[in-house]
Amino acid sequence: MKEKAIYIGKIIKPLRKAKGMTQEKLANEINLDRSYLSDIERNIKAPSLYTIFKLTKGLDITPRELIETIYDY
């Protein structure tokens, strides 16, 4: 089975935009630096598991929904 790279930014950004949120709004809601969120969305930085949980809470989705979205990508 061939593994594929998972780029979480490609998932987070469209989810954020679908919720009508700016990077600044999401970052403020989850107490994250906006520039760090930008780096995640551009796949420059990989978020920790803790940050992933914060992101899913801020996007009002479950971690499971995020994982399922990644597998569908």
Side-chain angles (χ1 to χ4, degrees), residues 29-42:
E29 284 189 16
I30 62 172
N31 196 28
L32 195 69
D33 187 83
R34 192 217 46 87
S35 63
Y36 181 59
L37 176 57
S38 175
D39 287 348
I40 292 169
E41 288 188 354
R42 292 181 293 137

Side-chain angles (χ1 to χ4, degrees), residues 8 12 30 32 36 40 45-56 63 66:
I8 201 154
I12 296 296
I30 62 172
L32 195 69
Y36 181 59
I40 292 169
K45 297 202 174 166
S48 68
L49 185 57
Y50 177 71
T51 301
I52 290 171
F53 281 120
K54 287 172 61 170
L55 285 165
T56 57
L66 177 63

Side-chain angles (χ1 to χ4, degrees), residues 4-73:
K4 65 178 185 177
I6 296 172
Y7 299 104
I8 201 154
K10 290 183 178 183
I11 307 300
I12 296 296
K13 185 176 182 176
L15 289 172
R16 174 183 58 77
K17 287 188 168 198
K19 301 274 183 182
M21 300 176 82
T22 63
Q23 284 182 344
E24 187 169 353
K25 181 177 179 178
L26 177 58
N28 286 337
E29 284 189 16
I30 62 172
N31 196 28
L32 195 69
D33 187 83
R34 192 217 46 87
S35 63
Y36 181 59
L37 176 57
S38 175
D39 287 348
I40 292 169
E41 288 188 354
R42 292 181 293 137
N43 300 304
I44 292 171
K45 297 202 174 166
S48 68
L49 185 57
Y50 177 71
T51 301
I52 290 171
F53 281 120
K54 287 172 61 170
L55 285 165
T56 57
K57 184 175 182 180
L59 293 168
D60 197 31
I61 61 171
T62 66
R64 179 184 178 141
E65 289 171 311
L66 177 63
I67 292 167
E68 288 172 348
T69 303
I70 290 169
Y71 277 110
D72 291 341
Y73 199 78

